[in-house]
Amino acid sequence: MTKTPRFWRENKNRYNLIGVKCGSCNAVYFPSRIICPDCGRKSMGKMDKFKFSGRGTVYSNTVVHEAHEQYEMQKPYAIALIELEEGARVLGQIVDCEPYEVQIGMKVKSTFRKLGQDGKSGTIYYGYKFVRERE
Amino acid sequence: MEIGIVSYGAYIPRFRILPEEIGRVWGLDGKGFGKGLMIEQKSIAGPDEDVVTISVEAARNAMKRVDVSPEKIGAIYVGSESHPYVVKPTGTIVAEAIEATPDLTVADYEFACKAGTAAIQTCMGLVGSDMIEYGLAIGSDTSQGAPGDALEFSASAGGAAFLIGSKDVIAKINTTLSYTTDTPDFWRREGQMYPSHGGRFTGEPAYFKHIVSCAKNLLGKCGTKPEDYKYAVFHQPNGKFPQRVAKMLGFSNEQIETGLLVPQIGNTYSGAVPLGLSAILDEAEPGDRIFAIAYGSGAGSDGFDIAVTDAITRFNRKAAPTVREIMANMKAIDYATYAKYRGKIKLSCEE
């Protein structure tokens, strides 16, 4: 079944790392939430759009050797939990460096890459991945 | 009204392959090919990179250098011969990714290696006629040559984006003109993976005729001589052609060396003159004059007479990496990896 509608709905967020900020406690979330889990009903109607800078550090990481078929060409590749500088944590692939170079605490920034496609005749999905931030 | 470049940004994928590695696979003298073409290595897009991702990265680098709201961009044109979709514009994805949607016009261009400069001309027209405040023109490609073909030694990947406007112009485009004929030197038919080239049409009746004619017309219209320019950049399908055409027109090696990137990255097609011009803007100073001539097979040339303004001293060039800084982040790969990354190997999971 095509994933086009699901991806399309989240394009803006996925292209530009857009999440939300709770107007009650200022906590930031990615992906977006309708209600802040800490503030509950106090946050209703106060979850505002928030754009992350894309900069962050590796919180935890691993190397994938048994890949999804769309990532066969890229294995082995690094996946990491990134702590964004504004606070939220996101899962993302680290590209443009050797997978075993990735270490906890490494500074990264987001980049725009192809995430997958609906077969050879379907739509192509794009979004964020991360690259090492070079000094 | 002063129309010109308000900002620019570049992007080149990280991977490289050497001509001797290509020659090793096909039983050819790769080193000899590389020497003849003056190409030491060429850039290759990664498995998750295409014209959309290259265009977005270049556009974002351009927008980082200026304080212009993307909502003020009234047009985006992306020139490429390797758009990932045949039907569905690259430009709409770029527009969404830089948050310029929805109040703008978008279209993709194709004119072999000069579609990016055609995009600059369109944006100039729209800004000049006051239809838009800013236009974004992008030239970007992930070009491919058929395995074992001479083009495989040069066809590479990269792109650059130019924000065209009339406020805080860092490089004023004094004059632009084109020279166009129906010449069958290079083409790719619908559904074909690799392009074909018309042998004897390459060179004299194509590249040289169009660039020389366009350049002479431009010099005539501007009333200038080659020595009036600090920099010159010509389309660079290999290292030899731009050097030869520069000499034919009376430009020196010193004038073209800053914008001559082909020895290190190969022929980036629609990205070639835009990247060369970006490398020049990386170091240009107020008062410098730039002469740029693109060439696209099929065939045509777009020429530009550009003057760098005082605004470049206030321009935040450091907010994005220079072309040569981007080029320095590289990794050489072997032919097998290159074939894998560029879809030259068919997998059983593919439809």
Side-chain angles (χ1 to χ4, degrees), chain A residues 12 15-16 18 51 69 73-74 95-98 111-114 119-121 123-124 126 129 134, chain B residues 11 14 47-50 52-53 56-57 60 84-85 93 96-97 99 329 331 340-341 347 351:
Chain A
K12 283 179 197 281
Y15 288 180
N16 280 301
I18 292 170
K51 186 177 174 184
E69 62 184 39
M73 296 293 188
Q74 298 176 48
V95 293
D96 281 5
C97 75
E98 302 311 310
T111 185
F112 191 85
R113 294 293 172 101
K114 188 172 154 179
K120 285 196 103 73
S121 59
T123 53
I124 305 166
Y126 297 95
K129 290 188 180 181
R134 294 177 195 273
Chain B
Y11 182 79
R14 174 176 178 244
D48 57 355
E49 291 181 300
D50 60 18
V52 168
T53 65
V56 169
E57 289 293 322
R60 284 181 174 172
Y85 289 97
I93 308 168
E96 197 79 63
E99 299 178 278
N329 176 22
K331 183 191 175 188
K340 193 172 84 163
Y341 283 0
L347 295 181
E351 285 175 2

Side-chain angles (χ1 to χ4, degrees), chain B residues 316-340:
Chain B
N316 193 2
R317 267 194 277 215
K318 286 187 179 153
T322 66
V323 171
R324 286 187 161 77
E325 281 168 355
I326 296 169
M327 282 162 66
N329 176 22
M330 54 149 289
K331 183 191 175 188
I333 56 175
D334 60 15
Y335 194 92
T337 309
Y338 158 68
K340 193 172 84 163

Side-chain angles (χ1 to χ4, degrees), chain A residues 33-50:
Chain A
R33 287 170 174 269
I34 297 167
I35 291 175
C36 172
D38 291 334
C39 302
R41 63 185 301 172
K42 277 200 292 182
S43 67
M44 281 175 78
K46 293 183 189 166
M47 299 297 276
D48 298 323
K49 188 175 114 171
F50 181 81

Side-chain angles (χ1 to χ4, degrees), chain B:
Chain B
M1 189 190 278
E2 193 172 79
I3 298 165
I5 298 163
V6 176
S7 186
Y8 68 97
Y11 182 79
I12 300 159
R14 174 176 178 244
F15 301 104
R16 303 282 185 276
I17 190 165
L18 275 57
E20 38 271 56
E21 175 63 9
I22 298 171
R24 181 183 69 79
V25 172
W26 298 113
L28 297 166
D29 175 15
K31 209 166 186 170
F33 261 93
K35 207 173 165 192
L37 295 167
M38 284 180 61
I39 291 176
E40 292 168 28
Q41 55 190 6
K42 70 163 190 170
S43 60
I44 300 161
D48 57 355
E49 291 181 300
D50 60 18
V51 163
V52 168
T53 65
I54 290 170
S55 301
V56 169
E57 289 293 322
R60 284 181 174 172
N61 280 336
M63 296 308 288
K64 276 181 201 165
R65 289 178 159 139
V66 280
D67 189 21
V68 172
S69 166
E71 289 166 3
K72 288 187 176 175
I73 296 173
I76 296 180
Y77 294 100
V78 184
S80 179
E81 61 108 90
S82 44
H83 292 288
Y85 289 97
V86 175
V87 179
K88 194 202 175 310
T90 298
T92 55
I93 308 168
V94 176
E96 197 79 63
I98 62 164
E99 299 178 278
T101 54
D103 297 318
L104 81 165
T105 179
V106 166
D108 285 359
Y109 277 173
E110 185 282 315
F111 196 145
C113 300
K114 80 156 193 76
T117 50
I120 295 175
Q121 291 177 325
T122 312
C123 288
M124 287 176 67
L126 293 176
V127 170
S129 59
D130 218 14
M131 281 176 69
I132 60 170
E133 190 173 352
Y134 294 99
L136 190 67
I138 301 171
S140 161
D141 256 310
T142 56
S143 52
Q144 292 213 50
D149 187 273
L151 282 173
E152 199 182 21
F153 288 94
S154 59
S156 67
F162 295 92
L163 186 66
I164 305 295
S166 59
K167 284 181 213 134
D168 297 322
V169 166
I170 59 163
K172 185 188 170 202
I173 301 175
N174 295 319
T175 308
T176 179
L177 56 78
S178 300
Y179 183 90
T180 309
T181 71
D182 177 12
T183 305
D185 59 325
F186 175 91
W187 61 88
R188 180 163 66 86
R189 294 278 302 275
E190 181 85 32
Q192 295 298 305
M193 189 169 175
Y194 301 112
S196 307
H197 45 97
R200 72 181 188 85
F201 283 101
T202 305
E204 294 305 332
Y207 180 91
F208 291 100
K209 176 184 162 184
H210 291 78
I211 290 197
V212 168
S213 302
C214 184
K216 284 186 174 168
N217 290 351
L218 185 60
L219 290 169
K221 191 170 177 185
C222 298
T224 48
K225 300 185 290 299
E227 52 268 35
D228 295 333
Y229 298 89
K230 170 105 182 262
Y231 301 99
V233 56
F234 300 101
H235 177 52
Q236 33 203 283
N238 53 58
K240 270 189 323 187
F241 278 22
Q243 283 197 335
R244 209 171 110 200
V245 86
K247 201 172 173 189
M248 285 164 72
L249 289 164
F251 288 91
S252 67
N253 280 339
E254 289 71 36
Q255 285 168 299
I256 64 166
E257 69 181 357
T258 304
L260 190 64
L261 309 174
V262 64
Q264 296 306 316
I265 58 171
N267 178 9
T268 52
Y269 283 51
S270 301
V273 161
L275 277 168
L277 181 56
S278 301
I280 290 168
L281 291 173
D282 282 340
E283 63 168 56
E285 292 173 359
D288 288 347
R289 209 143 168 196
I290 305 164
F291 190 78
I293 309 276
Y295 170 74
S297 291
S301 273
D302 299 330
F304 300 86
D305 170 70
I306 301 167
V308 179
T309 72
D310 289 340
I312 204 157
T313 56
R314 302 184 295 275
F315 177 67
N316 193 2
R317 267 194 277 215
K318 286 187 179 153
T322 66
V323 171
R324 286 187 161 77
E325 281 168 355
I326 296 169
M327 282 162 66
N329 176 22
M330 54 149 289
K331 183 191 175 188
I333 56 175
D334 60 15
Y335 194 92
T337 309
Y338 158 68
K340 193 172 84 163
Y341 283 0
R342 297 315 302 148
K344 293 173 193 277
I345 298 172
K346 294 283 171 223
L347 295 181
S348 59
C349 65
E350 287 178 336
E351 285 175 2

